[in-house]
Amino acid sequence: MSAAAGSGAEDFRLGAVIITMGNRPAELNALIDSVLNQEGPAVELAVVGNGAALPPLPAGVRTVELPENLGIPGGRNVGIELFGRNGQEVDAVLFLDDDGLLPNKDSARLLREAFTADPELGIVSFRIADPDTGVTQRRHVPRLRASDPLRSSRVTTFLGGASAVRSTVFTQAGQLPGEFFYAHEETDLAWRALDAGWEIDYRADIVLHHPTTSPARHATYFHNVARNRVWLARRNLPTPFVPLYLGTWLLLTLARRPSGDALKSWVGGFRAGWSEPCGPRRPMRWRTVWRLSRLGRPPII
């Protein structure tokens, strides 16, 4: 690994990728305004119409309209490439949900300072808070001990729509797994980044406002969660950990007592995870297993 170009935080270049289905133009433009109003050097912007036409956008925004919806990771990968191969025209790429908002003007500055102060920091996960209540959902804190969302810490995964990834991570560990379409794509990249020696931080002081939602609002949620969980294990885990990891998640799913339809969808996804191709298998090193365990999340859960 090497430190980012530039000796100081002001020289650290940031680019932001926003994917949109074209159905939230007001929220999209509000998000763009919140990025453009950040303190310090301008954050470059790239907006991807993921199978949708784009509304009018400010001058200088890099754009592409895809003829079909490539899913969340596929759309974000296209956005990365709008900043050159693996995003190398910038030093780090932000991923922001199109219905989110950066309420504070110092977020970009805090990111620049974090990345330049720690050359081993590869990914930063922001705190997501509801704009009306200020509440951070437990599932939005990327660690098992999630009771205090205001505590920053090293973590083993990140929140896809509220994050920043050093561009060198893409060069060394690869981009997001496009075949996942939705669910667990962040953990797949996080595990590969950790295996390459990078660190991941959850920063409670870098905030993205986002309305409180349920992940089950997506029609394919239960299917994709199960399928991609299998793919995650098949692609990344040493062989002895594959049945341990998937067995744990099978038990946790049953303990949550999903509805009959949800369970049927989950089982179908679990089967698809074994029968459908998941991309290249690159099992993590045993020292990465130990790193995950020391960080409080061994790869059995």
Side-chain angles (χ1 to χ4, degrees):
M1 294 179 298
S2 61
S7 58
E10 292 293 302
D11 299 315
F12 195 89
R13 301 160 299 172
L14 295 176
V17 170
I18 306 167
I19 59 173
T20 182
M21 298 291 291
N23 55 349
R24 292 189 281 239
E27 292 90 339
L28 173 62
N29 276 286
L31 170 61
I32 289 173
D33 287 344
S34 74
V35 175
L36 295 177
N37 288 330
Q38 290 294 301
E39 300 169 353
V43 179
E44 296 287 333
L45 270 163
V47 179
V48 178
N50 212 0
L54 293 174
L57 299 173
V61 176
R62 309 181 192 200
T63 63
V64 63
E65 294 180 350
L66 301 177
E68 62 178 315
N69 180 3
L70 298 182
I72 293 174
R76 286 181 178 149
N77 287 343
V78 171
I80 293 169
E81 294 296 304
L82 290 177
F83 296 116
R85 179 61 182 158
N86 285 321
Q88 293 303 302
E89 292 177 12
V90 293
D91 295 307
V93 175
L94 285 71
F95 296 127
L96 303 171
D97 278 349
D98 69 344
D99 55 346
L101 187 80
L102 294 174
N104 303 322
K105 294 184 178 182
D106 62 353
S107 297
R109 175 177 61 80
L110 292 173
L111 284 170
R112 291 188 178 98
E113 292 173 352
F115 280 119
T116 53
D118 184 357
E120 294 188 346
L121 179 61
I123 302 174
V124 176
S125 189
F126 312 163
R127 179 168 63 90
I128 296 178
D130 184 273
D132 297 321
T133 66
V135 171
T136 296
Q137 293 178 269
R138 186 180 182 88
R139 69 185 182 90
H140 284 155
V141 182
R143 58 176 179 247
L144 291 180
R145 296 176 180 175
S147 59
D148 183 6
L150 299 181
R151 178 174 67 87
S152 300
S153 68
R154 293 281 202 214
V155 290
T156 62
T157 188
F158 64 101
L159 307 168
S163 61
V165 181
R166 196 186 291 265
S167 300
T168 315
V169 171
F170 302 129
T171 302
Q172 294 186 354
Q175 298 182 8
L176 294 157
E179 55 267 60
F180 279 41
F181 198 84
Y182 164 78
H184 304 319
E185 67 272 7
E186 303 94 344
T187 300
D188 188 88
L189 175 56
W191 282 1
R192 286 183 279 119
L194 289 165
D195 199 50
W198 296 98
E199 301 286 357
I200 306 173
D201 277 358
Y202 168 70
R203 287 286 299 262
D205 57 337
I206 302 177
V207 180
L208 181 87
H209 275 174
H210 189 281
T212 297
T213 57
S214 167
R217 69 190 185 280
H218 298 286
T220 59
Y221 171 75
F222 293 102
H223 177 277
N224 282 20
V225 161
R227 182 198 64 187
N228 294 0
R229 187 79 70 182
V230 176
W231 282 357
L232 190 63
R234 288 176 59 195
R235 287 163 58 97
N236 296 288
L237 292 182
T239 300
F241 277 86
V242 173
L244 292 173
Y245 178 78
L246 296 177
T248 297
W249 279 104
L250 173 61
L251 293 175
L252 285 172
T253 299
L254 294 174
R256 291 168 178 168
R257 303 180 70 179
S259 68
D261 287 342
L263 183 59
K264 182 179 179 180
S265 179
W266 192 95
V267 170
F270 192 84
R271 289 173 175 166
W274 291 105
S275 62
E276 297 177 5
C278 63
R281 172 169 166 76
R282 299 188 181 97
M284 66 179 64
R285 294 170 291 182
W286 285 101
R287 72 179 185 181
T288 305
V289 172
W290 176 237
R291 282 186 70 196
L292 289 165
S293 301
R294 285 192 294 109
L295 288 168
R297 193 145 197 168
I300 58 172
I301 189 169

